[in-house]
């Protein structure tokens, strides 16, 4: 009798939970989780979900934009072939790609308010932690809820970007892992805060989301354009910081594709031993500073003009402010 009752309950649950969808409060179906293996190592996460009656691959804009040549695998070993089209949120770090898919898919909460999602609720994050190529399970709570974002305590790491944030009780996705904030630098107003030094955020998938259609090829180009600008900015900022504060030249960057030429004069006819006692050295250092100044402005306007995706336009403004700061620091360098 007990066995028959268990079989009847299982049949009823299967009937009430449509094939391919995650049951409420149940385990996350691994067949809906996607590992993004980047071409040059590392990677990110994603998942397959049903939205408005269609199946989509869901991830972050920044993950999908860096996925040229990447391999996309579900955790149970099926390779995803993406069509050359994606839809990007205009305000959130969200990207969806339509799929012809008959396998498992996660359910998404269409309204956190209707589903009574509250601060303190238990959640699970599953994704490609550290880009290691395996899905891991991270437990946590909802720490905060905003109109477009949620904050969680699950200690996700790089590689988890694009992972689903699943509400344990509902068995539904309530957000997607996106970014962390390092708030470890305290002042007198925050030194006694109960909040973590590292705070973790995801974007909600419910509410009114305005989508922008783009080809994957165009998205890859936008991502690569911004990544190149960002890399150059941080390299220039680091070089200027070391030059101003440590009086050191970062010759380790001599092999960089676009900035390496700046360091060539220090490989010959430069006397490290004589330092500023050499007029030739001072001339080379002055030329080096001039070159850094040129590079700080060389691609700013062209990059800003070429970026069309809202997410990258906003990121550009953040990174570009570092160029302003670096210019100010460089003006204080003299020999």
């Amino acid at each position: 009798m007990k066995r028959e009752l268990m079989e009847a309950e299982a049949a009823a649950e299967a009937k009430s939970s449509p094939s391919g969808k995650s049951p409420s409060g149940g385990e996350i179906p691994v067949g809906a989780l996607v590992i993004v293996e980047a071409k040059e190592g590392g990677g990110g996460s994603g998942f397959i979900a049903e939205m408005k009656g269609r199946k989509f691959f869901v991830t972050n804009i920044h993950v999908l934009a860096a996925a040229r040549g990447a391999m996309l695998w579900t955790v149970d070993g099926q390779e995803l072939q993406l069509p050359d089209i994606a839809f990007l949120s205009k305000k959130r770090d969200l990207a969806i790609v339509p799929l012809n898919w008959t396998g498992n898919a996660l359910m998404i909460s269409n309204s956190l308010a209707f589903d009574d999602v509250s601060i303190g609720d238990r959640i699970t994050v599953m994704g490609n932690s550290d880009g290691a190529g395996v899905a891991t399970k991270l437990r946590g709570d909802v720490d905060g809820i905003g109109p477009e974002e949620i904050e969680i305590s699950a200690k996700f790491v790089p590689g988890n970007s694009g992972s689903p944030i699943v509400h344990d009780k509902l068995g539904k996705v309530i957000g997607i892992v996106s970014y962390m904030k390092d708030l470890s630098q305290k002042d007198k107003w925050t030194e006694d805060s109960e909040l973590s030094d590292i705070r973790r955020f995801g974007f909600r998938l419910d509410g009114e989301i305005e989508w922008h259609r783009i080809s994957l090829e165009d998205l890859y180009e936008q991502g690569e354009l911004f990544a190149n600008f960002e890399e150059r900015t941080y390299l220039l900022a680091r070089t200027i910081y070391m030059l101003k504060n440590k009086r050191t030249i970062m010759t380790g960057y001599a092999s960089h594709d676009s900035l390496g030429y700046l360091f060539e004069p220090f490989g010959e006819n430069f006397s490290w031993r004589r330092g500023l006692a050499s007029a030739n050295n001072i001339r080379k250092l002055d030329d080096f500073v001039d070159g850094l100044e040129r590079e700080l402005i060389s691609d700013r306007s062209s990059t800003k003009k070429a970026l069309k995706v809202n997410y990258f336009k906003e990121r550009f403004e953040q990174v570009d402010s570092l160029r302003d700061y670096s210019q100010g620091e460089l003006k204080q360098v003299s020999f």
Side-chain angles (χ1 to χ4, degrees):
M1 179 65 73
K2 183 178 180 180
R3 180 177 58 81
E4 291 175 354
L5 286 172
M6 291 176 65
E7 290 175 351
E9 289 175 355
E13 183 178 355
K15 185 176 181 180
S16 62
S17 179
S19 176
K21 296 183 180 179
S22 53
S24 177
E27 287 295 312
I28 300 171
V30 295
L33 300 173
V34 178
I35 301 293
V36 181
E37 296 183 355
K39 187 176 181 180
E40 298 180 357
S45 305
F47 57 97
I48 300 166
E50 183 170 319
M51 304 171 65
K52 300 185 183 300
R54 296 185 64 185
K55 302 287 181 62
F56 291 90
F57 168 61
V58 184
T59 188
N60 297 127
I61 293 173
H62 76 264
V63 171
L64 187 59
R68 186 195 293 274
M71 300 293 291
L72 279 68
W73 300 90
T74 63
V75 173
D76 60 4
Q78 297 188 65
E79 183 178 358
L80 290 190
Q81 298 293 335
L82 301 182
D84 186 31
I85 183 174
F87 295 90
L88 312 180
S89 168
K90 290 193 173 183
K91 293 185 178 181
R92 310 178 194 183
D93 185 11
L94 299 175
I96 59 175
V97 181
L99 295 175
N100 291 320
W101 184 257
T102 58
N104 287 326
L106 300 181
M107 293 188 295
I108 292 176
S109 172
N110 292 319
S111 171
L112 270 60
F114 181 82
D115 283 333
D116 198 26
V117 175
S118 302
I119 294 173
D121 289 357
R122 296 290 292 169
I123 55 92
T124 298
V125 168
M126 285 193 72
N128 185 18
S129 302
D130 290 319
V134 297
T136 60
K137 180 182 291 186
L138 306 170
R139 301 289 193 181
D141 303 316
V142 176
D143 281 349
I145 301 176
E148 294 184 341
E149 301 180 38
I150 57 175
E151 182 176 355
I152 61 175
S153 65
K155 294 182 178 180
F156 64 76
V157 293
N160 279 126
S161 290
S163 297
I165 302 170
V166 181
H167 191 281
D168 286 357
K169 185 177 180 180
L170 295 170
K172 296 180 181 179
V173 179
I174 61 171
I176 179 172
V177 167
S178 187
Y179 68 98
M180 295 178 279
K181 284 185 178 179
D182 182 354
L183 301 172
S184 58
Q185 297 298 317
K186 302 294 187 181
D187 56 31
K188 66 179 182 179
W189 307 112
T190 59
E191 61 186 3
D192 61 347
S193 172
E194 295 181 4
L195 297 173
S196 173
D197 288 345
I198 305 296
R199 297 173 64 180
R200 293 168 167 86
F201 298 85
F203 282 95
R204 294 170 58 162
L205 290 161
D206 64 330
E208 294 297 323
I209 302 178
E210 187 177 0
W211 298 99
H212 166 67
R213 177 172 171 161
I214 189 172
S215 73
L216 281 185
E217 179 61 31
D218 287 345
L219 178 58
Y220 294 150
E221 290 180 359
Q222 290 276 290
E224 290 159 0
L225 178 67
F226 173 77
N228 182 60
F229 180 80
E230 183 179 45
E231 181 200 21
R232 283 166 51 85
T233 298
Y234 288 134
L235 189 152
L236 287 166
R238 177 66 174 166
T239 299
I240 292 167
Y241 171 83
M242 295 299 290
L243 185 63
K244 174 179 178 288
N245 297 289
K246 306 295 184 180
R247 309 298 279 185
T248 298
I249 300 166
M250 304 291 288
T251 53
Y253 296 146
S255 60
H256 190 270
D257 289 343
S258 64
L259 297 175
Y261 79 94
L262 292 173
F263 302 88
E264 290 176 358
F266 302 107
E268 58 184 35
N269 300 324
F270 186 87
S271 175
W272 293 97
R273 180 178 58 80
R274 295 191 63 192
L276 298 181
S278 165
N280 178 63
N281 284 3
I282 292 176
R283 188 184 74 254
K284 288 181 180 296
L285 287 167
D286 286 337
D287 289 344
F288 183 59
V289 170
D290 290 342
L292 290 171
E293 175 67 27
R294 289 194 303 272
E295 290 296 344
L296 279 170
I297 63 176
S298 65
D299 57 344
R300 293 177 79 171
S301 60
S302 61
T303 302
K304 184 175 183 178
K305 184 177 180 180
L307 289 174
K308 306 299 181 184
V309 173
N310 281 6
Y311 172 78
F312 290 121
K313 290 166 71 173
E314 292 177 4
R315 290 282 306 279
F316 173 87
E317 295 301 328
Q318 297 170 4
V319 175
D320 195 47
S321 65
L322 180 57
R323 296 250 181 146
D324 288 331
Y325 176 79
S326 297
Q327 278 187 305
E329 291 288 280
L330 192 59
K331 292 183 185 300
Q332 300 177 41
V333 175
S334 62
F335 301 101

